[in-house]
Amino acid sequence: MNDGIEARGELEHMKIRKALHPIREGVRTYLPPSIFFFTNEEKMSFCKVLSKVRVLDGYSTNLARCVNVNEKKIYGLNNHDHHGSACPTNLAIRRVLPKPITLVLPELSAIFRLLCRKKES
């Protein structure tokens, strides 16, 4: 999903979602933050929650080891770690994102789990 000047310009052209239209001031163009944008405080809160998550052995990697709260970054996750960490990250996101987004996350996670599961024989 792209969220750049071109995508926002298309929203403006279609005359939808006025709150997301680019703001032009002289030669500069600004993009207002979208609903899923994390402020620095929200990033810090998200990372703090993830750094304290404990999961069963073999379920996922140790998320606390992959989170740097001071830098507000997550690093070192492998592809299979993303599937196992979906539930803890959903819980952490609920604390920082608006309710309309967090209501959709469990449904999306369920869809991706179905798509990524092993084929039953």
Side-chain angles (χ1 to χ4, degrees), residues 8 24 38 46 61 63 65 89 95 98:
R8 298 284 186 97
R24 293 173 184 84
F38 277 16
F46 178 76
T61 190
L63 286 175
R65 189 187 64 214
T89 53
R95 298 182 55 99

Side-chain angles (χ1 to χ4, degrees), residues 21-103:
H21 291 185
I23 299 168
R24 293 173 184 84
E25 293 179 2
V27 295
R28 300 198 70 152
T29 302
Y30 300 96
L31 298 179
S34 60
I35 194 169
F36 50 83
F37 179 78
F38 277 16
T39 63
N40 281 333
E41 293 81 24
E42 291 169 336
K43 287 178 192 176
M44 182 71 77
S45 174
F46 178 76
C47 289
K48 282 181 182 177
V49 170
L50 279 184
S51 70
K52 295 179 179 162
V53 168
R54 301 291 180 252
V55 295
L56 299 170
D57 286 342
Y59 177 72
S60 175
T61 190
N62 182 358
L63 286 175
R65 189 187 64 214
C66 298
V67 176
N68 186 327
V69 177
N70 295 330
E71 291 182 19
K72 299 178 271 251
K73 291 187 180 183
I74 301 170
Y75 57 90
L77 291 178
N78 296 325
N79 190 30
H80 68 278
D81 294 331
H82 294 302
H83 300 297
S85 64
C87 184
T89 53
N90 284 346
L91 293 173
I93 286 174
R94 284 184 184 180
R95 298 182 55 99
V96 293
L97 286 179
K99 194 170 186 172
I101 291 180
T102 60
L103 291 175

